Every structure is written in structure tokens, then in C-alpha cells.
Amino acid sequence: MPVTSHPHPAPTEAGALPGSLLIRNLRKEYRAGQPVLKDISLAVEGRGITAIIGPSGTGKSTLIRCINRLVDPTSGEIWFGGSDLARLRGRSLRMARRRIGMVFQEYNLVERLSVIENVLCGRLGYVPAWRAFLRRFPDSDVERAFALLDAVGLGADFATRRADQLSGGQRQRVGIARAVMQDPALVLADEPTSSLDPKTSVEIMELMAALSAGGGTPIVINIHNVDLARRFAQRVIGMSRGEVVFDGPPDALEDRHLTDIYGGEGWLS
């Protein structure tokens, strides 16, 4: 029988961990009467990696994008940092987004900018517009950007390279450094390994796990590779047809759950 999640007390209450996320009855319809997300309710505590698995088209990316409001939900609540993100607009939404780092499948770098400039883009929400336009960031930000390049395994030698001169794995490392540069309380990652080869995919997941453990920042990641989810996540959420059908630790994820999530059995080895 599938394991489903249940609503928890709102993280605005005393004792909530930094980075705690509470989703209540989240629904998204791109077309009226055809929900992509069907009243999702789940809570993510402020620690570790939570992996979301499921077939293409089941709503994984829509869920991630609703959380940071790249997509507006049709209804429901998204509690983070004491606010319901689903109701925020304008400056309030921009302020909330500063604390949510995003790692994209297609890297989302500014190709014509250098590596160090792309990393510094993580501070755009914290500096005046004129500083950002002139690329005049505080010395402390520049120093931290160089430190993050070291942390993601690139180093100062890559700082002045244009983003379009990098390999896929190198671009994803820059994307992770940019997300961490925001000083986020939560990191969302939308299929960050799907464009990478198996070896690089493992390296990227190792990097994200190390950053989560070292900084204590929770990461919610959409991922197609079930083996990587089992290896690196502390919690796995399985989605099918817009609903949560499994929610538990990786070692509780069995073939019967994968059949519920993906359908059929012939692909299981």
C-alpha cells in the first residue's frame, strides 16, 4: 500500500527549523478541470536531501516551480519563512525568493558572462540595482564567490572563463555555487543531473550532499535516477499522476512502490 504524507503544523510556529517548508492542498491547473498537481500536502524539515521521483509529466517540476513561484499555484498554501508564498506579490515575494536557491536542469547561466560573474548573480537580490548593473559587488561577496568556486571543485582558474566555454558538469557546478551564493535557507533542484553522464551525475550529487551536510541547508531535488535518489537522499517522495503515492526513507522504497509510481513491472530488474 502506498505511503502518503499528512499535513503538519505550520512552520511559523515556535520550534520550526530554518528551511522548513509546509505545503497544504497545493493544486495546479494549466487548463481548467485538468489538474497537474492534485491537492498535494507535505512537510519538509530543515535538513538533508529530499528526492522527488516519478515519471515524466507527473508534476515533479511543476511542484518545484510552484514552491519558488516560477509557476503560480491554482490553490493551496506554501509556508516558508513564516509566510505563505502562494499569497506573496511584488517586493514581499522577491524578498522571500532571496532565501530559496534554485539549481536548474539546463543550468540557466548567462552565457556571455564569466564564471565568477555568474556566481555573483546569486547576490542580485541583496545589492542595489546600480551595483548589479555596474557589476560592483562588495569585496566580501567577491571573496565568497571565489571560495565557493573552490568548494564546488573549480577553483580560481575558472573564474574568468565565459560560461559558454564550460562542459555540462562544470556549468552545473557554477549553478550550484550561484545558488549557495544566495545564502539560502532552502535549495530546490530541478533535474540537475538529467543532462549529465553517469560519472558526472554522481559527482554533482556528491557535491550537493556535501553542501547540504556542511551548511545544514535542506535540498529538495527532482530526479529521474532512482538509484541516485536511494544513494544520496534521506527521504524519497514518489509522485504519480499528480499525487504523492510514496513518502519515506530510501530503504523503505520497494519494487511494489516503484510499480505504483511508474506503472508496469517489465522495466524492473
Side-chain angles (χ1 to χ4, degrees), residues 2 53 55 226 230 239-241 245-246 253-268:
I53 64 172
V226 174
R230 280 174 159 156
M239 290 185 62
S240 180
R241 297 177 293 279
V245 297
F246 175 86
L253 183 64
E254 301 176 356
D255 285 354
R256 62 190 176 91
H257 298 126
L258 294 175
T259 299
D260 289 331
I261 295 167
Y262 292 98
E265 298 181 353
W267 60 277
L268 292 170

Side-chain angles (χ1 to χ4, degrees), residues 102-111 118 163 166-176 178 190-197:
M102 184 75 182
V103 180
F104 296 88
Q105 175 181 351
E106 298 298 336
Y107 322 123
N108 206 36
L109 304 181
V110 182
E111 300 289 331
N118 269 282
L166 304 180
S167 68
Q170 290 166 346
R171 291 185 186 199
Q172 199 57 285
R173 290 173 186 270
V174 176
I176 292 170
R178 178 188 57 196
D190 190 10
E191 301 288 0
T193 64
S194 64
S195 300
L196 306 176
D197 62 75

Side-chain angles (χ1 to χ4, degrees), residues 67-225:
I67 293 171
N68 69 0
R69 289 289 305 283
L70 290 176
V71 169
D72 290 334
T74 302
S75 61
E77 303 173 0
I78 306 167
W79 287 93
F80 175 77
S83 299
D84 180 4
L85 300 181
R87 296 180 179 273
L88 297 184
R89 297 291 185 273
R91 184 175 184 275
S92 296
L93 178 58
R94 291 194 297 273
M95 295 294 288
R97 278 176 169 163
R98 295 196 313 182
R99 302 305 311 280
I100 303 175
M102 184 75 182
V103 180
F104 296 88
Q105 175 181 351
E106 298 298 336
Y107 322 123
N108 206 36
L109 304 181
V110 182
E111 300 289 331
R112 62 181 177 81
L113 294 185
S114 68
V115 165
I116 197 68
E117 288 171 329
N118 269 282
V119 176
L120 284 166
C121 283
R123 300 303 293 172
L124 291 179
Y126 293 87
V127 299
W130 69 268
R131 277 188 173 273
F133 179 77
L134 297 175
R135 301 176 195 170
R136 292 185 179 177
F137 292 89
D139 290 343
S140 58
D141 284 349
V142 175
E143 291 173 4
R144 184 160 184 255
F146 275 100
L148 284 173
L149 285 182
D150 285 332
V152 299
L154 292 180
D157 291 344
F158 284 85
T160 58
R161 293 192 193 182
R162 280 175 50 127
D164 56 10
Q165 297 174 338
L166 304 180
S167 68
Q170 290 166 346
R171 291 185 186 199
Q172 199 57 285
R173 290 173 186 270
V174 176
I176 292 170
R178 178 188 57 196
V180 177
M181 191 73 193
Q182 290 181 226
D183 191 24
L186 172 70
V187 172
L188 307 175
D190 190 10
E191 301 288 0
T193 64
S194 64
S195 300
L196 306 176
D197 62 75
K199 178 177 181 294
T200 306
S201 295
V202 170
E203 291 172 350
I204 291 299
M205 290 300 297
E206 288 175 340
L207 173 59
M208 297 186 77
L211 290 173
S212 177
T217 304
I219 296 176
V220 178
I221 177 172
N222 287 343
I223 190 166
H224 275 301
N225 191 309

